């Protein structure tokens, strides 16, 4: 894929960016270099490499799933500006 001046202007318009005419040509070159680098990444053999969420392998800390204090509506709504029958009263936001 190759980027031209019209594509840069269209991307700028979609991104609501003001791009001066003297910056369009340098951006064409920059975007084409980025796309060439992405094409190089496609050549990397990743067969057998598991997907990762981080470069450092880690496991999430787990805690016991147990019931804690709760269910006391009076205590939960005690600091609410307004409550009714154990529920928070809030202004209507949808007509």
């Amino acid at each position: 894929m190759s980027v031209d001046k019209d594509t840069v202007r269209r991307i700028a318009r979609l991104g609501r960016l003001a791009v001066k005419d003297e910056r369009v040509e340098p951006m064409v070159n920059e975007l084409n270099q980025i796309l060439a680098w992405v094409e190089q990444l496609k050549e990397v053999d990743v067969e057998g490499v598991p997907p990762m969420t981080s470069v450092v392998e880690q496991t999430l800390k787990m805690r016991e799933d147990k019931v804690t204090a709760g269910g006391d509506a009076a205590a939960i709504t005690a600091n609410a500006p307004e409550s009714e029958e154990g529920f928070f009263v809030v202004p209507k936001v949808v007509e």
Side-chain angles (χ1 to χ4, degrees):
M1 180 179 184
S2 179
V3 176
D4 59 2
K5 290 180 181 181
D6 292 333
T7 305
V8 169
R9 287 187 183 101
R10 183 167 185 263
I11 292 170
R13 185 178 52 80
L14 290 172
R16 297 177 191 233
L17 302 172
V19 178
K20 296 180 181 177
D21 287 336
E22 61 268 9
R23 280 292 300 145
V24 172
E25 187 62 39
M27 289 184 86
V28 167
N29 295 331
E30 291 171 13
L31 289 173
N32 281 324
Q33 288 175 359
I34 291 170
L35 292 174
W37 181 72
V38 170
E39 288 297 320
Q40 283 181 340
L41 287 177
K42 289 182 180 180
E43 298 172 7
V44 176
D45 181 22
V46 293
E47 189 67 35
V49 177
M52 301 184 310
T53 57
S54 173
V55 293
V56 179
E57 187 171 337
Q58 53 185 307
T59 57
L60 296 175
K61 296 177 183 170
M62 303 295 280
R63 63 175 170 82
E64 182 181 343
D65 189 15
K66 62 181 180 179
V67 176
T68 59
D72 185 4
I76 293 170
T77 59
N79 292 326
E82 190 177 348
S83 63
E84 184 177 305
E85 297 181 18
F87 296 97
F88 294 100
V89 175
V90 296
K92 185 177 180 180
V93 293
V94 178
E95 294 294 328

